[in-house]
Amino acid sequence: MESAFNSILLISGPHGVYEGVPPLVMAGFILVAGALIFLGIYLSKKRRDWLQHSVLTNGEVVEVSKRYERSDKLGQSPIFFPVVSFSVNGRQFKIEADKGMSMLSQVGQTMKVRYNPENPYDSALGERSIPGLNPSVFLILGIVLLCTSAILMF
């Protein structure tokens, strides 16, 4: 068995002692991991600032759009996206939920809306909702990549 393995190694070409991942590749991994962590921290601070400076108001469901997942061939499990209208300084704004709900919202139902007073188009449904990317994805990915790089270095 060992001679067969040695024959395969001889056929596949010259082999030396495995020296690990090249330092340039490791530097690239660490650089990407650092960038992901930095982006996660930046987005986290931006979200926290938005939450502190945003205003909470009541909106009214004016419409509910119904959609289906592509995998739902029979149309048995609709997903509902309420469209909520809210007023700021006498002007009406509308926002559609970015996440679907399995239960139907009723037209006329009141929902909480959080918006940026300087730009009411920058809004989100719910008390704790924040528009934009979730920073935890970048933080977790960066930390995992950094840990993997550290393990591969040794």
Side-chain angles (χ1 to χ4, degrees):
M1 180 69 173
E2 190 173 317
S3 63
F5 182 70
N6 287 336
S7 299
I8 292 172
L9 286 177
L10 285 174
I11 293 170
S12 65
H15 295 280
V17 177
Y18 178 70
E19 296 177 10
V21 181
L24 188 61
V25 173
M26 293 310 300
F29 280 170
I30 292 171
L31 187 67
V32 170
L36 287 171
I37 292 170
F38 176 77
L39 181 62
I41 292 169
Y42 172 76
L43 289 175
S44 179
K45 181 185 178 331
K46 189 174 176 182
R47 286 171 62 100
R48 197 170 31 254
D49 289 345
W50 189 89
L51 193 58
Q52 288 175 349
H53 294 100
S54 63
V55 176
L56 191 61
T57 189
N58 287 322
E60 181 180 329
V61 177
V62 293
E63 172 185 343
V64 178
S65 56
K66 181 167 62 169
R67 301 181 194 148
Y68 298 92
E69 288 188 31
R70 290 183 184 177
S71 60
D72 188 10
K73 302 291 184 201
L74 300 175
Q76 294 179 341
S77 302
I79 303 170
F80 301 100
F81 292 82
V83 177
V84 178
S85 175
F86 63 100
S87 178
V88 177
N89 298 329
R91 290 185 59 202
Q92 289 294 111
F93 295 90
K94 287 185 181 179
I95 179 175
E96 184 177 25
D98 55 350
K99 295 177 186 166
M101 302 176 184
S102 58
M103 60 184 193
L104 177 62
S105 299
Q106 299 297 322
V107 172
Q109 177 182 348
T110 302
M111 293 185 93
K112 296 285 186 185
V113 177
R114 187 171 286 282
Y115 68 93
N116 179 352
E118 296 167 6
N119 179 10
Y121 291 107
D122 185 17
S123 57
L125 288 179
E127 292 183 41
R128 304 295 300 167
S129 295
I130 300 171
L133 298 171
N134 190 346
S136 59
V137 173
F138 296 102
L139 287 170
I140 291 170
L141 203 57
I143 290 169
V144 166
L145 189 58
L146 189 63
C147 292
T148 304
S149 300
I151 291 170
L152 289 175
M153 282 172 62
F154 301 106

